[in-house]
Amino acid sequence: MDKLRNELQQTASERETRRHFLHTCSTGLGVMALGSLLGGCGFFRTDNPTKHTTGTALLADEPTAPHPSHRLPSAKRVIYIHMAGSPSQLELFDYKPELVKYNGKDCPQELLEGKKFAFIRGVPKMLGPQGKFAQYGQSGAWVSDYLPHFQKVVDDVAFLKAMHTDQFNHAPAQLLMHTGSARLGRPSIGSWVTYGLGTENDNLPGYIVLASGGKQPDAGKSIWGSGFLPTVYQGVQCRTDGDPVLYASNPAGMDRNIRKQTIDAISQINQQQYDDVKDPEILTRISQYELAFRMQMSVPDAMNIKSEPQYILDSYGVDPDKGSFARNCLLARRLAERGVRFIQLFDWGWDTHGTSADGAIEIGLRDKCKESDQAVAALLNDLKQRGLLDDTLVVWGGEFGRTPMQENRDGQVLPFMGRDHHLDAFTVWMAGGGIKRGFSYGETDDIGYYGVKDKVHIHDLQATILHALGFDHTKLTYQFQGRPFRLTDVAGKVVTPVLA
């Protein structure tokens, strides 16, 4: 109670500010000017953000309430699986038998002139594919022996094989992939989606993040941040060990009734402050306090995979007592069926330069595939069997591709096989949520160096994800610093051939 009393006193003091003076003691001209400045900086949004591109209005009382999209969506939710570090498309999906002929030969100069690489210096050797490829399913998709379980579900996915990006370093490339900009400060795609659509479950966050691999992605938590959007739309990272969300459990000596009374009192104080200053971050604070209280019951239930039958655990390859990527895939299904709008899985450890065994194409990449292959295939099958794949969009990929030449450092051959970062060609696949099944779009050249047909940029991928959710990506905007911003900036086009 002392903390609550101190917060009340602090709040009362904060209300005696210049803003409060302008509001209560001036002629009103000051607060009008202040209001115009705040509106110009994006402090307000409309009651329905999908119905406007200009103008401002007061924030709705419940910022995460469900909103209609621009058009009838084919997907209600997204599960985005990001393999941080970027797996080599040449070992997994983009079969290049011609590259075998060049294995061990010096890289042709025309592939090096005018190019910048993250680490390659001098003249590297070409490196043939290390996986054994074959065609699978009725679609005849080429998949390597690195992914024996995925081979069985290829007819459920659509490949984008000529993806390209503007960034060849991890952090900026991850930012571009997930926020539409290589610079910090922009909202993540999950934040845009929850801003535009709200959530279908009042007891869980609309945007949940699950990370595995032992480390965070290079760009850090900024790739699930809300940027200049109100913070209620940022991703909530759930842990797979201990409390799913830090401090979700009540402290010793406080039962649920006392906690509820405390939350109610805090909300009343915050509401009084919002009535005075109309800062939407105060509504975010109210919403998050109340959501946190509801999450104390809903999150432990959603994250308790021990309630799953053994055959489901076995299909994913999950040990219920250990955190893992496989566990996160099963959690993604559980969250999807509970109405979470955007579920993002990050798995660290896919950066295969060849400097060590765990970062080697022939060792580390195979190990990462063994950790993830069964779970990804099980997730697609599980969603499909439950009827969830029809309206759940699943996206899989990294932040860029890998080079067809073997990486060297200062002209020295590395002890293991590895490939450098490559921005001109890589593969992403999508499934469910209105995407064609058993389809491949885009082609790269004979060695997988350049996209030569149906190239897809990062902004095109983002526009397509938003389209599946019912958005016109050019109209899902937020007024900030005097202009409307959007996820795809001033670019992007929907990849209509992959739509069912």
Side-chain angles (χ1 to χ4, degrees):
M1 294 304 292
D2 289 340
K3 290 184 178 179
L4 182 58
R5 189 178 299 108
N6 291 337
E7 182 171 345
L8 177 60
Q9 293 173 348
Q10 181 179 351
T11 301
S13 299
E14 289 175 349
R15 290 175 64 187
E16 300 302 324
T17 61
R18 182 183 306 172
R19 186 198 306 262
H20 184 69
F21 172 78
L22 288 170
H23 181 73
T24 59
C25 304
S26 75
T27 62
L29 295 176
V31 75
M32 289 172 62
L34 182 61
S36 67
L37 288 174
L38 292 178
C41 292
F43 277 75
F44 303 105
R45 64 168 267 189
T46 63
D47 291 333
N48 185 350
T50 65
K51 299 269 186 170
H52 85 295
T53 56
T54 59
T56 57
L58 291 180
L59 185 68
D61 286 341
E62 181 48 63
T64 58
H67 302 294
S69 53
H70 298 125
R71 47 172 290 279
L72 187 65
S74 58
K76 291 183 178 179
R77 68 198 68 85
V78 175
I79 298 175
Y80 195 125
I81 304 171
H82 182 93
M83 308 321 236
S86 293
S88 170
Q89 74 282 4
L90 296 170
E91 266 63 52
L92 304 182
F93 311 116
D94 203 10
Y95 180 45
K96 297 298 173 185
E98 192 71 16
L99 190 57
V100 176
K101 302 176 183 179
Y102 294 96
N103 187 57
K105 296 182 179 179
D106 287 347
C107 179
Q109 280 297 321
E110 58 265 28
L111 300 183
L112 304 174
E113 292 174 356
K115 288 290 182 182
K116 292 182 179 180
F117 299 96
F119 295 101
I120 285 177
R121 301 294 183 269
V123 179
K125 303 290 185 181
M126 301 300 291
L127 179 62
Q130 299 303 298
K132 296 180 180 179
F133 281 82
Q135 290 179 284
Y136 296 92
Q138 294 182 352
S139 61
W142 289 96
V143 182
S144 82
D145 61 342
Y146 279 50
L147 300 172
H149 294 276
F150 184 77
Q151 294 167 357
K152 302 172 185 177
V153 297
V154 291
D155 284 341
D156 289 320
V157 310
F159 293 95
L160 302 174
K161 289 194 173 180
M163 289 290 305
H164 64 105
T165 182
D166 306 330
Q167 302 294 325
F168 60 70
N169 285 321
H170 294 294
Q174 290 168 2
L175 283 168
L176 180 61
M177 177 65 77
H178 296 288
T179 74
S181 172
R183 296 183 178 182
L184 293 168
R186 297 288 185 89
S188 62
I189 183 171
S191 295
W192 279 110
V193 170
T194 50
Y195 162 69
L197 288 179
T199 179
E200 295 181 316
N201 188 324
D202 292 337
N203 300 320
L204 289 169
Y207 180 14
I208 290 182
V209 177
L210 301 167
S212 56
K215 294 183 180 179
Q216 302 280 11
D218 292 76
K221 298 182 179 181
S222 56
I223 50 177
W224 59 82
S226 58
F228 47 70
L229 291 177
T231 51
V232 70
Y233 302 113
Q234 70 183 5
V236 175
Q237 184 178 4
C238 289
R239 306 186 307 162
T240 52
D241 294 312
D243 279 346
V245 179
L246 290 174
Y247 313 116
S249 299
N250 286 324
M254 176 174 283
D255 62 24
R256 188 160 177 80
N257 289 331
I258 296 176
R259 172 58 64 91
K260 181 65 167 67
Q261 294 172 11
T262 303
I263 297 298
D264 289 344
I266 293 171
S267 295
Q268 290 175 8
I269 295 170
N270 284 328
Q271 185 65 49
Q272 290 175 3
Q273 188 177 30
Y274 175 73
D275 291 341
D276 282 346
V277 301
K278 294 295 187 288
D279 183 348
E281 283 299 312
I282 299 172
L283 289 184
T284 291
R285 195 183 312 153
I286 295 172
S287 178
Q288 288 179 333
Y289 268 119
E290 294 177 349
L291 174 61
F293 179 74
R294 298 192 299 270
M295 285 169 57
Q296 287 185 305
M297 300 294 288
S298 59
V299 169
D301 173 67
M303 305 292 282
N304 179 22
I305 66 170
K306 291 184 179 180
S307 62
E308 294 284 342
Q310 189 62 44
Y311 78 91
I312 290 291
L313 299 176
D314 292 342
S315 69
Y316 282 84
V318 170
D319 181 343
D321 295 316
K322 293 182 179 179
S324 64
F325 173 79
R327 179 189 178 98
N328 288 351
C329 284
L330 177 51
L331 288 173
R333 189 269 290 166
R334 291 176 63 85
L335 294 171
E337 64 186 352
R338 284 166 171 77
V340 175
R341 186 72 72 182
F342 204 96
I343 305 146
Q344 197 141 29
L345 275 58
F346 290 98
D347 187 54
W348 185 87
W350 294 82
D351 195 21
T352 48
H353 288 280
T355 55
S356 61
D358 61 357
I361 292 289
E362 73 276 27
I363 303 172
L365 180 60
R366 280 193 180 274
D367 290 342
K368 291 300 294 183
C369 288
K370 289 178 182 178
E371 293 174 9
S372 62
D373 176 41
Q374 178 179 347
V376 170
L379 174 60
L380 292 179
N381 284 326
D382 201 2
L383 291 170
K384 188 176 179 180
Q385 291 167 3
R386 295 168 189 268
L388 287 168
L389 191 59
D390 291 339
D391 57 9
T392 301
L393 176 62
V394 182
V395 184
W396 183 101
E399 59 263 33
F400 41 58
R402 315 302 297 201
T403 58
M405 61 279 286
Q406 184 172 357
E407 184 173 325
N408 60 12
R409 299 277 176 100
D410 297 322
Q412 300 297 314
V413 177
L414 296 175
F416 298 93
M417 294 183 186
R419 301 185 188 274
D420 203 355
H421 308 165
H422 189 49
L423 52 80
D424 289 313
F426 64 106
T427 299
V428 167
W429 61 255
M430 309 169 74
I435 299 299
K436 283 183 180 176
R437 300 174 65 248
F439 185 69
S440 184
Y441 182 77
E443 295 178 16
T444 56
D445 60 24
D446 289 343
I447 60 172
Y449 196 69
Y450 290 112
V452 294
K453 182 181 178 182
D454 298 329
K455 297 169 66 175
V456 176
H457 187 264
I458 300 301
H459 288 136
D460 303 332
L461 175 64
Q462 294 162 347
T464 306
I465 293 172
L466 293 181
H467 178 86
L469 291 164
F471 289 116
D472 179 340
H473 71 102
T474 67
K475 294 181 180 178
L476 180 62
T477 64
Y478 189 84
Q479 197 77 11
F480 179 67
Q481 293 183 337
R483 77 170 178 91
F485 279 80
R486 71 186 206 220
L487 172 64
T488 52
D489 198 29
V490 295
K493 61 182 185 298
V494 177
V495 187
T496 55
V498 304
L499 303 177

